[in-house]
Amino acid sequence: MRDIRVSSLAEAVDGIRDGMTILISGFGNAGIPVELIHAVIDQGAKDLTIVCNNAGSGRTDIAGLLAAGRVRKVICSYPKSSGAVVFERLYAAGRIELELVPQGTLSERMRAAGAGVGGFYTPTGAGTRLAEGKEVRHLNGRDHVLEMPLKGDVALIKAERADRWGNLTYNLAARNFAPTMAMAADLTIVQARRIVELGALDPETIVTPSIFVDRLIEVPNPEPAGRP
Amino acid sequence: MRDIRVSSLAEAVDGIRDGMTILISGFGNAGIPVELIHAVIDQGAKDLTIVCNNAGSGRTDIAGLLAAGRVRKVICSYPKSSGAVVFERLYAAGRIELELVPQGTLSERMRAAGAGVGGFYTPTGAGTRLAEGKEVRHLNGRDHVLEMPLKGDVALIKAERADRWGNLTYNLAARNFAPTMAMAADLTIVQARRIVELGALDPETIVTPSIFVDRLIEVPNPEPAGRP
Amino acid sequence: MTLTREQLAARVAADVPDGAFVNLGIGLPTLVANFVPADREVIYHSENGILGMGPAPKKGEENPDLINASKQYVTLMPGAAIVHHTDAFAMIRGGHIDLALLGALQVSATGDLANWTTSPNLLMPGVGGGMDLAVGAARVWALMEHNTRDGQPKILECCTLPLTAARVVDRIYTNLAVIDVTEDGLVVREMAPGLDFAELQRRTGATLTLANDWRAIGLSA
Amino acid sequence: MTLTREQLAARVAADVPDGAFVNLGIGLPTLVANFVPADREVIYHSENGILGMGPAPKKGEENPDLINASKQYVTLMPGAAIVHHTDAFAMIRGGHIDLALLGALQVSATGDLANWTTSPNLLMPGVGGGMDLAVGAARVWALMEHNTRDGQPKILECCTLPLTAARVVDRIYTNLAVIDVTEDGLVVREMAPGLDFAELQRRTGATLTLANDWRAIGLSA
């Protein structure tokens, strides 16, 4: 029987090791898996690379992980959100590494990792600083940059509903990076607001199919992200 | 106001010209836009390249288009379905060209066209006859083949429900190639079993968003595909 | 005279086609939506996964899971669709967005766009979806003040700031003029009422051509 | 003795893990599902967009929009999900399918698989999703008769038929033996009851090693 439910947040994040790459769902404060991130803070893994669109705001969740000194490198498109005070301080002090990736390329690179694409050419970024050092190829009348898959050891995902196989739905624009990140990690860990009976989700409206999910925990009343 | 509904099948396929590439949704007999294909037969465009997973069975729809001598080339993964008598005869007689593409690569190439990917590396097909003449690159410990986007001038799509903007849902496994093909053509033409009021489709369960659709016609009782 | 921000936004709005799929960048472009005539059905795209975005919600009806790319609360129009990020960017990168309105720091005579960082050493940069939009949208209109605060031109033969994308801008709207980027260079279609061409050229860092049928910018706001 | 098709399918089914995501190729592999023990929850994937495929429907309950990759009518299990083709192949190509059971025409000593065409000149070929499955699935088991109808070996040092994929097969199940493809070559784990190793080697076109702990294939069907 496939039943990927775990009984605690600690169990959900068990086995995350120093030096791993963690994909974290969310855009702004929507879709951030706050409780899972806090479980990682409690768990203690360090020297992490995190991939997320923003670099955390306020003092909790992503910013909390940064403030706890666990993150070596951030891969993101937009670290300078309002309230990204923790990242700003660490970056100014040279204590954190930043890989800046255009948002669509960030998403497409993770999709490539999830879909078995070994690399792809995109015109985004061609001729800019963000393509420096990358292979450029003229295709279909336009310069393209070769971009490589971006795979996570772990993905931390916030979902709305889930079943014991790991099928997921999301709430509105909190969906954002989650379905792509769920595909792109070796170990995909999900916190869902509600776990329902197997068969309760309409097969035609499941957004993330079970095959992309490895562990599941119910968090009925998740905290908002980015608290001061 | 955006209202892409047209009033006849003839109007739906108006402007299709000789030599165009047409993507046709469906897998086996599920999801084949029979009425749109018949409208193309009536419309008269010839020297077409068609892209579809199978090369038609029976005598109607895709097989009908082939039998009418309108198709110069078929790009597909599996032409030899049971009942593909028309294709078999034309192919044996050397009267039709075949580009055989692994099914996942076929789908991914169309997705690339729709998503602005200029080319991608895949291990599928490496070291086989289907990769002959293609660039091979060793990535992540494995040979990969460079595959190029496959774009349609036109896509013919069968959907279940639609609204006047062109948002679509599908019925079960009749979904198959349709969402990808809808993205991958300059002109995406849809027959839907039912057109509903704008706003009647749940925003979270729309499968093909309106931006990928150009023309829409209601066909309430579509014929099954592959009739003898 | 020069246009106010509202007048500029209104001028741009007048050109946004009925039925178009449009992405609005942060800042001035976002303002444009307020001036699009009510009888036009424009479908707004937000790169975090919304197609068919509506205006800001009423006070008290904000949903933290329904925000736009600028992280502002929004609503959905009837006909809206929610997609994931990769699909939202497929719309952009695949050329499906009819029109992107982007704020600009500099635009070159060949349509190069610089709008993502003023910093030569990339201290605290952020690129977001700007490069994707500039490269992917079918048409790109750049919106900006014609000059910097200290009077320097922002339209230049070549951008001096780090590029967002090369040869992508189709049209430039400033508080002084509406300028098309053409194969024959920058062509001025409209000028602010009372402005003369010599003055416009003086305030511009690239050679301009005045269209034969140029006219004064109509001010509706 | 040699195994019947049903005995072979039953032998393979005994090894299909509980909770696994499995894709069954056309023919013999499809038969395997009938023999998987009822207490195992196996999640079947069909490349036309079904995850969680159930058995054939009752007579009269067939739905033409619910077919599998072999174009047979199927049903959905509770927990099933419908996806589009590209996502269904992302599951395959991205390494998410735990196990693909594929029919084979030939398998080489290094795990090369030939299963898509017997024709050197590609007359009426069809590849389907076979190359994707062979390359993408986490584990690939090849199922076949040990010899061709005219007694030729199908396990060879090198395949003579056009390849589906190189170095992908992890295990071979035939009507004579269960053979692992290892870095040290082909290792025989099990043999049909009564078969001796010399005879198996004689009927095989590549060098075999008999595992120390080899045993006779258990027959449950």
Side-chain angles (χ1 to χ4, degrees):
Chain A
M1 186 165 108
R2 177 172 170 84
D3 187 350
I4 62 166
R5 290 173 293 183
V6 297
S7 51
S8 68
L9 285 159
E11 190 183 340
V13 301
D14 185 49
I16 298 181
R17 293 191 310 276
D18 295 354
M20 280 188 164
T21 295
I22 305 185
L23 317 180
I24 304 180
S25 69
F27 179 92
N29 289 332
I32 303 273
V34 173
E35 283 73 12
L36 286 175
I37 299 167
H38 289 173
V40 172
I41 295 174
D42 294 343
Q43 191 258 7
K46 59 183 191 298
D47 199 28
L48 300 171
T49 294
I50 65 171
V51 183
C52 50
N53 190 65
N54 307 107
S57 63
R59 299 277 171 187
T60 60
D61 56 276
I62 293 175
L65 192 64
L66 297 176
R70 304 292 178 68
V71 180
R72 182 177 63 78
K73 180 178 178 179
V74 174
I75 302 177
C76 76
S77 86
Y78 206 78
K80 62 176 184 183
S81 304
S82 68
V85 287
V86 175
F87 178 82
E88 281 175 26
R89 182 170 47 76
L90 289 169
Y91 188 71
R95 286 170 52 204
I96 199 159
E97 202 180 323
L98 171 66
E99 180 179 341
L100 197 67
V101 182
Q103 200 171 132
T105 296
L106 184 68
S107 193
E108 189 72 21
R109 285 178 60 194
M110 289 188 281
R111 193 247 168 211
V117 171
F120 62 91
Y121 290 100
T122 176
T124 295
T128 76
R129 291 193 167 195
L130 298 190
E132 279 171 15
K134 294 186 176 178
E135 176 183 319
V136 174
R137 186 163 183 157
H138 205 69
L139 293 167
N140 200 21
R142 195 166 203 179
D143 278 345
H144 286 66
V145 182
L146 177 63
E147 294 285 356
M148 303 308 285
L150 177 56
K151 189 183 172 76
D153 297 301
V154 175
L156 304 180
I157 301 291
K158 184 183 181 184
E160 182 64 15
R161 294 206 295 165
D163 63 29
R164 69 169 164 83
W165 280 9
N167 290 302
L168 307 179
T169 65
Y170 302 93
N171 189 41
L172 295 166
R175 185 186 301 194
N176 58 67
F177 283 94
T180 304
M181 288 178 167
M183 297 170 64
D186 289 331
L187 176 68
T188 294
I189 307 169
V190 174
Q191 64 170 81
R193 210 179 52 75
R194 196 167 143 228
I195 298 180
V196 300
E197 283 299 303
L198 193 70
L201 300 176
D202 175 0
E204 302 214 49
T205 66
I206 286 167
V207 179
T208 292
S210 55
I211 197 170
F212 298 127
V213 180
D214 299 292
R215 291 182 192 167
L216 174 64
I217 186 154
E218 189 174 81
V219 178
N221 296 299
E223 254 190 73
R227 287 194 166 172
Chain B
M1 185 166 111
R2 177 172 170 85
D3 187 351
I4 62 165
R5 291 173 293 183
V6 297
S7 52
S8 69
L9 284 160
E11 190 183 341
V13 301
D14 184 50
I16 298 181
R17 293 191 309 277
D18 295 354
M20 279 188 163
T21 295
I22 304 185
L23 317 179
I24 303 180
S25 70
F27 179 91
N29 289 332
I32 303 272
V34 173
E35 284 72 13
L36 286 175
I37 298 167
H38 289 172
V40 172
I41 295 174
D42 295 342
Q43 192 259 7
K46 59 183 191 302
D47 198 28
L48 300 171
T49 294
I50 64 171
V51 183
C52 50
N53 190 64
N54 307 108
S57 64
R59 298 278 170 184
T60 61
D61 56 274
I62 292 175
L65 192 65
L66 297 176
R70 304 293 179 67
V71 180
R72 185 177 63 76
K73 180 178 178 181
V74 174
I75 302 177
C76 75
S77 86
Y78 205 77
K80 62 174 184 183
S81 304
S82 66
V85 287
V86 175
F87 178 83
E88 281 176 25
R89 183 170 44 78
L90 291 169
Y91 188 71
R95 287 171 51 204
I96 199 159
E97 203 180 321
L98 172 65
E99 180 180 340
L100 197 67
V101 182
Q103 199 170 135
T105 296
L106 184 68
S107 194
E108 188 73 20
R109 285 179 60 195
M110 289 188 281
R111 193 249 169 209
V117 171
F120 62 90
Y121 291 100
T122 176
T124 295
T128 76
R129 290 192 168 195
L130 298 191
E132 277 170 17
K134 295 186 177 179
E135 176 183 319
V136 173
R137 185 163 183 158
H138 204 70
L139 292 167
N140 199 20
R142 194 164 204 181
D143 278 344
H144 285 66
V145 182
L146 177 62
E147 294 285 356
M148 303 308 285
L150 177 55
K151 187 183 173 79
D153 297 302
V154 175
L156 304 180
I157 301 291
K158 183 183 182 186
E160 182 65 16
R161 295 205 294 163
D163 61 31
R164 68 168 166 86
W165 281 8
N167 289 303
L168 307 178
T169 65
Y170 303 92
N171 190 40
L172 295 167
R175 184 185 303 194
N176 59 66
F177 284 94
T180 303
M181 288 179 168
M183 296 171 64
D186 289 331
L187 176 68
T188 294
I189 306 170
V190 174
Q191 65 170 83
R193 210 180 52 75
R194 196 169 144 227
I195 298 180
V196 299
E197 282 298 302
L198 194 70
L201 300 176
D202 175 358
E204 303 214 50
T205 66
I206 287 168
V207 178
T208 292
S210 55
I211 195 169
F212 298 126
V213 180
D214 299 292
R215 292 182 193 167
L216 174 63
I217 186 152
E218 189 174 83
V219 178
N221 295 301
E223 256 190 70
R227 286 194 167 171
Chain C
M1 68 156 294
T2 68
L3 277 63
T4 63
R5 277 171 65 86
E6 284 69 24
Q7 286 171 326
L8 173 52
R11 174 62 197 86
V12 176
D15 289 348
V16 173
D18 188 24
F21 292 95
V22 176
N23 184 292
L24 303 177
I26 299 179
L28 194 48
T30 301
L31 196 59
V32 171
N34 298 346
F35 296 94
V36 171
D39 62 347
R40 290 190 204 163
E41 191 175 65
V42 176
I43 302 170
Y44 295 105
H45 170 273
S46 184
E47 54 263 45
N48 58 323
I50 309 173
L51 188 69
M53 191 168 52
K58 287 181 198 140
K59 195 88 184 170
E61 295 181 9
E62 299 88 353
N63 183 337
D65 283 345
L66 195 52
I67 58 174
N68 66 12
S70 306
K71 284 95 176 179
Q72 298 160 323
Y73 296 117
V74 294
T75 53
L76 298 181
M77 302 272 287
I82 299 290
V83 298
H84 63 55
H85 234 85
T86 308
D87 280 351
F89 275 88
M91 295 177 189
I92 296 172
R93 293 156 65 108
H96 306 282
I97 300 289
D98 296 312
L99 178 60
L101 304 187
L102 300 177
L105 297 167
Q106 294 179 339
V107 179
S108 84
T110 56
D112 293 355
L113 174 69
N115 78 345
W116 71 285
T117 181
T118 53
S119 163
N121 52 12
L122 298 189
L123 191 65
M124 268 310 282
V127 66
M131 289 186 178
D132 305 288
L133 282 161
V135 166
R139 274 174 297 170
V140 173
W141 294 349
L143 280 57
M144 61 182 182
E145 300 288 312
H146 202 88
N147 296 101
T148 63
R149 280 181 205 173
D150 56 356
Q152 294 303 307
K154 296 164 85 170
I155 299 174
L156 302 165
E157 290 298 342
C158 293
C159 295
T160 58
L161 291 172
L163 282 195
T164 303
R167 296 172 175 274
V168 295
V169 175
D170 298 290
R171 182 169 255 212
I172 310 167
Y173 292 86
T174 77
N175 54 331
L176 298 185
V178 178
I179 301 170
D180 278 340
V181 181
T182 77
E183 294 196 354
D184 302 322
L186 299 173
V187 176
V188 178
R189 299 291 177 198
E190 301 182 23
M191 289 192 290
L195 186 67
D196 86 9
F197 181 67
E199 172 68 6
L200 181 66
Q201 180 64 77
R202 199 185 61 72
R203 293 176 65 170
T204 306
T207 304
L208 302 174
T209 305
L210 188 62
N212 290 331
D213 59 348
W214 78 274
R215 56 191 179 90
I217 296 178
L219 301 181
S220 57
Chain D
M1 67 156 295
T2 68
L3 277 63
T4 64
R5 278 171 64 86
E6 285 69 26
Q7 287 171 326
L8 173 51
R11 174 60 196 86
V12 175
D15 289 348
V16 173
D18 188 24
F21 292 95
V22 176
N23 185 291
L24 303 178
I26 299 179
L28 194 50
T30 302
L31 195 60
V32 171
N34 298 346
F35 296 94
V36 171
D39 62 347
R40 289 190 204 164
E41 191 175 63
V42 175
I43 302 171
Y44 295 104
H45 170 274
S46 184
E47 53 265 42
N48 58 323
I50 308 173
L51 188 70
M53 192 168 50
K58 286 181 198 141
K59 196 88 182 169
E61 295 181 8
E62 299 88 354
N63 182 337
D65 284 345
L66 195 53
I67 58 174
N68 66 13
S70 306
K71 284 97 176 180
Q72 298 160 322
Y73 297 117
V74 295
T75 52
L76 298 181
M77 301 274 287
I82 299 289
V83 298
H84 63 56
H85 235 85
T86 309
D87 280 351
F89 275 88
M91 294 176 190
I92 296 171
R93 293 156 65 108
H96 307 282
I97 300 289
D98 294 315
L99 177 61
L101 303 188
L102 300 177
L105 297 166
Q106 293 180 339
V107 178
S108 84
T110 56
D112 295 354
L113 174 69
N115 76 345
W116 70 284
T117 181
T118 53
S119 163
N121 52 11
L122 298 189
L123 191 65
M124 271 307 285
V127 65
M131 288 187 179
D132 304 290
L133 281 161
V135 166
R139 272 173 298 169
V140 173
W141 294 350
L143 278 59
M144 61 183 182
E145 299 289 313
H146 202 88
N147 296 101
T148 62
R149 280 178 206 175
D150 57 356
Q152 294 304 306
K154 298 165 81 170
I155 299 173
L156 302 166
E157 291 297 341
C158 294
C159 295
T160 58
L161 290 172
L163 282 196
T164 302
R167 296 174 176 272
V168 295
V169 175
D170 297 291
R171 180 169 257 210
I172 310 167
Y173 292 86
T174 78
N175 54 331
L176 298 186
V178 178
I179 301 171
D180 278 338
V181 182
T182 76
E183 293 196 356
D184 302 323
L186 299 173
V187 176
V188 178
R189 299 290 176 197
E190 301 182 22
M191 289 192 290
L195 186 68
D196 87 9
F197 181 67
E199 172 68 6
L200 181 66
Q201 179 64 76
R202 198 188 59 75
R203 295 177 63 171
T204 305
T207 304
L208 300 174
T209 305
L210 187 62
N212 289 331
D213 57 350
W214 78 273
R215 56 193 180 88
I217 296 178
L219 301 182
S220 56

